[in-house]
Amino acid sequence: MTLQEILDKITSTEVVDLKLFFITRMLKENIKKSSKVMDKYLFKVYQVDINDEIRQYLYDLSQEQLNITIKKNFEMIDYDVISDDTEHLFTYSMKNKVFSFADVVTNQLQKSPDKMQSIEAILQNNDELWAYCVGFNDLTAKDWIYTFRKIQSGKVAVDEREGKSWLRIIRTFFDTTNQKLELLKGETVNLDKQIDCIYYDEIFYVIKKGCFEQIVGLQEEYKEEAKKVVEQLKQTNKIKGLEKIAEQIETTPSLHKKLVRIARIGNYRNIDDKAISKMKNVCKKYGDNLKVDNGNLLIEDEKDIDIVLKMLADYYKTGDVSGKPYGTFSGKEIKAQN
């Protein structure tokens, strides 16, 4: 299904049938250290009562954002860890997916979620206000389309409570009807004009790849996988300075994906003197300075990290038709037909 077809389905729904949901996340009790990140959390869906003005706002902005995305005419491809989200839209199938967030779209949203009574009660229960979801009911087909947006912590505010110094602020808004700055009481959540992903018929249509990965837990999973990849690289005994990569993992999400990509390609398993010699020749060809010390790849700084990862990921590729060289971490191995 194309985004235009999804937009057409949303346009055919009635504003009055639109629903707003908040999704919370909390750490499971007695979780094992060996458990995958994507299985460590519980997600819970709450339905939020809204007035007609907010309902119309969400209805209009959803169509507006989809129209903007459609006009960019991006190619839609299957989700890939390393692919650039500035040039593509992605589809991510939830068929046979069993990680924690799957319960949100395959179970909880299909039922009648509890009504949200208070944001503060959720925060006091050690839950995180994780994302919001807008549901559009296609009465003709009798199914639902859902859009999702990640809620950042800075977008949520509750009333000041004694002893909570971090909440000692006053929230105000400018009332254009009387040109006065008014005190804003109660709990607030910013619903901005963005859509990160859409869910329909067991498929996520990913507009903002990084936010989507945050919502479903892929981003944290990649970080844990990246740490394991560094340990696997150590076992080759052919790379010095891997502690530099380990340090960068804590602060650089883009590095996580490159390491996951390297693990899936698996070239590092066959690294030897002959492979390193080939790497040196490739780097010389493209003007990269690959450092080698006593037959081992050497990492001393961030630039070295980038070059070594490029070599392990087979970054430089040549087009069979044009013969032109390309540099990319993405791409999938294919077998030539006889």
Side-chain angles (χ1 to χ4, degrees), residues 93-107:
S93 175
M94 289 296 289
K95 290 181 180 178
N96 304 319
K97 296 289 195 304
V98 295
F99 58 84
S100 298
F101 193 84
D103 185 58
V104 170
V105 292
T106 62
N107 181 34

Side-chain angles (χ1 to χ4, degrees), residues 267-281:
N267 291 346
Y268 71 91
R269 297 186 184 94
N270 300 315
I271 189 171
D272 54 19
D273 292 343
K274 184 177 179 181
I276 291 176
S277 178
K278 284 184 178 180
M279 291 179 185
K280 288 175 66 177
N281 291 334

Side-chain angles (χ1 to χ4, degrees), residues 14 17 29 32 35 57 61 99-100 113 208 211 232 309:
E14 298 292 334
D17 296 317
E29 294 182 2
K32 294 180 180 178
S35 297
Y57 168 82
L61 82 84
F99 58 84
S100 298
K208 297 185 181 299
C211 292
Q232 293 168 19
L309 294 188

